[in-house]
Amino acid sequence: MRIVALLIFSFSTLFLFAQTPIEGVINEYARVDFIDYCDGKIAVPDAAQFEAGDQIIVIQMQGAIINENNGVNFGNINNVRSAGLYEVATIDRKIGDTVIVQNYLVNEYDLDGSVQIVSYPKYNNAIITNELTAKSWDGETGGVLAFSVENDLTFDANINVDGKGFRGGNSASLANDCSGALNNASLYFYPEDNWRGAQKGEGIAKKIINKENGRGAQATGGGGGNDHNAGGGGGANISRGGRGGDRITNFLTGDCKGDNPGIGGKAATNVNERIFMGGGGGAGHSNNDLGSDGGNGGGIVIMEVATATMQNFSIFARGETVDRIAAGDGAGGGGAGGSVVLKLNSTAPLAGSINLQGGNGGAANNDFSSTCFGPGGGGSGGHYISNSS
């Protein structure tokens, strides 16, 4: 009897402390098309990956309202609306592609602001065996890694959502008529097919039709460099991004001016517990296909654990650095750091590092006798929220 009891105890102990291995992308994502707040109904394009009893996170990624005037205040955040709000809900049942949650939603969301649901897996004990990450943001879903561990989480690899957030502007070479001393592209926005301004980076405000390019920041997204060959602005989060660099020319040669680079992303201020992906950097202005794109912003990590053993490992949510050197055109701005929300359900300190750095803006090749091309601005750091020191 004693041997049997010991075996039962051993198996029970093994079961209790068994660690679930986790790696790669552990979340499922779906765009929210409709919410019925009274009945707790959330309609998505495809609910096959969600089941009754699952916990989900409802989160709004964008939707802020900005100043749209063609001036220095373009991109200022007039109303953040519900951008950055999120909450945990439990699925009670499904009807087709509609999930019905058990309780009323706490927040009200703007469905024109990129609302998504993200699965929120829960583990008893877990071990990160290989890098844990999130699906990259694609304009509708992704950018979020979220999970909870009832007891201990052990790190044998890093959590890494670097560059999984808002996308940087794309550098594109369009036909242009640069005319030396007469050139002075000074507007804060241009249509996306207009060569006078490079593409802005994404941020918490959606891009505005016919205002997708140019030096004005798109809320937390960096502005694109203006003609000629100016650098893009860095992305932002809760602090602003860096300004892109000018193209500096020898005035005696009559070269095209480049003194209107991308403005750094605008900081999302007074947002309390809201969380945002890092803003994307603006693209550098290009006319020879030698410029560089803006860097992507860092993603979001939401993690609730009792204790975490992570010595020598890290949580990364950094903005993307622009590695390509702009060899004769403007360089892109770096992406901003993302956000990490960490809740520890014990008083044990966290033995590890959390890195929310912004990415460096791109460098420019200035091996020319009369011209210095515009480098990209740096992305801002990210946002850390925790109940632990």
Side-chain angles (χ1 to χ4, degrees):
M1 293 293 293
R2 184 177 180 183
I3 294 174
V4 172
L6 285 171
L7 285 172
I8 292 173
F9 175 78
S10 298
F11 281 121
S12 298
T13 304
L14 179 64
F15 178 78
L16 180 62
F17 294 100
Q19 292 180 306
T20 301
I22 54 177
E23 62 179 61
V25 178
I26 59 173
N27 299 106
E28 302 287 351
Y29 309 85
R31 182 189 74 233
V32 173
D33 293 330
F34 174 77
I35 298 177
D36 181 335
Y37 292 94
C38 293
D39 294 329
K41 295 178 179 178
I42 303 174
V44 299
D46 184 0
Q49 64 268 45
F50 301 96
E51 300 294 340
D54 288 352
Q55 285 194 314
I56 56 174
I57 288 179
V58 185
I59 182 168
Q60 182 168 326
M61 314 305 289
Q62 295 179 294
I65 302 299
I66 63 171
N67 184 310
E68 295 186 39
N69 295 326
N70 183 27
V72 68
N73 292 321
F74 179 90
N76 285 356
I77 301 169
N78 291 338
N79 186 348
V80 76
R81 297 171 77 208
S82 295
L85 291 177
Y86 70 101
E87 62 191 277
V88 178
T90 301
I91 298 175
D92 181 70
R93 62 193 187 279
K94 292 195 306 181
I95 301 176
D97 288 323
T98 297
V99 299
I100 302 170
V101 297
Q102 291 181 357
N103 300 307
Y104 293 120
L105 294 177
V106 174
N107 301 311
E108 186 171 340
Y109 300 94
D110 307 307
L111 295 182
D112 61 353
S114 302
V115 183
Q116 64 173 325
I117 59 173
V118 181
S119 65
Y120 190 51
K122 184 175 183 179
Y123 307 98
N124 187 5
N125 295 279
I127 180 169
I128 302 173
T129 54
N130 287 296
E131 187 174 84
L132 191 62
T133 188
K135 169 191 167 185
S136 296
W137 171 250
D138 63 9
E140 291 186 338
T141 62
V144 179
L145 166 62
F147 66 101
S148 68
V149 181
E150 189 172 357
N151 295 302
D152 185 62
L153 172 66
T154 300
F155 284 67
D156 271 357
N158 294 322
I159 288 176
N160 190 332
V161 294
D162 289 352
K164 300 293 185 180
F166 288 123
R167 297 167 294 185
N170 293 321
S171 178
S173 294
L174 301 172
N176 66 87
D177 62 355
C178 170
S179 55
L182 299 178
N183 181 69
N184 188 20
S186 61
L187 299 186
Y188 290 81
F189 56 79
Y190 295 93
E192 62 182 346
D193 60 351
N194 190 303
W195 56 268
R196 302 305 295 272
Q199 191 178 81
K200 305 175 190 294
E202 281 185 315
I204 62 170
K206 287 192 172 184
K207 292 184 181 179
I208 303 162
I209 295 175
N210 292 325
K211 299 182 180 182
E212 300 92 345
N213 290 15
R215 63 170 168 153
Q218 186 68 32
T220 55
N226 278 7
D227 180 48
H228 193 73
N229 298 161
N237 195 317
I238 59 171
S239 55
R240 65 181 177 85
R243 176 184 181 272
D246 295 359
R247 168 184 159 129
I248 301 173
T249 65
N250 183 337
F251 72 94
L252 296 176
T253 66
D255 285 346
C256 302
K257 297 178 181 179
D259 51 4
N260 290 303
I263 295 171
K266 308 297 179 88
T269 57
N270 301 318
V271 291
N272 298 319
E273 298 295 299
R274 299 181 190 226
I275 52 173
F276 308 111
M277 300 185 296
H285 183 267
S286 175
N287 66 302
N288 295 307
D289 200 25
L290 298 172
S292 55
D293 299 340
N296 296 338
I300 292 171
V301 176
I302 301 171
M303 190 172 83
E304 181 177 359
V305 301
T307 58
T309 305
M310 60 180 295
Q311 193 166 3
N312 300 322
F313 293 100
S314 299
I315 298 173
F316 293 108
R318 296 172 294 191
E320 188 176 40
T321 286
V322 179
D323 291 325
R324 178 182 176 182
I325 296 176
D329 283 326
S339 298
V340 172
V341 179
L342 175 62
K343 181 178 180 182
L344 288 174
N345 295 326
S346 76
T347 57
L350 182 69
S353 64
I354 296 173
N355 192 324
L356 293 157
Q357 290 178 324
N360 295 332
N365 181 352
N366 291 320
D367 294 335
F368 296 84
S369 60
S370 63
T371 301
C372 295
F373 296 91
S380 79
H383 188 193
Y384 178 52
I385 301 174
S386 178
N387 65 338
S388 168
S389 58

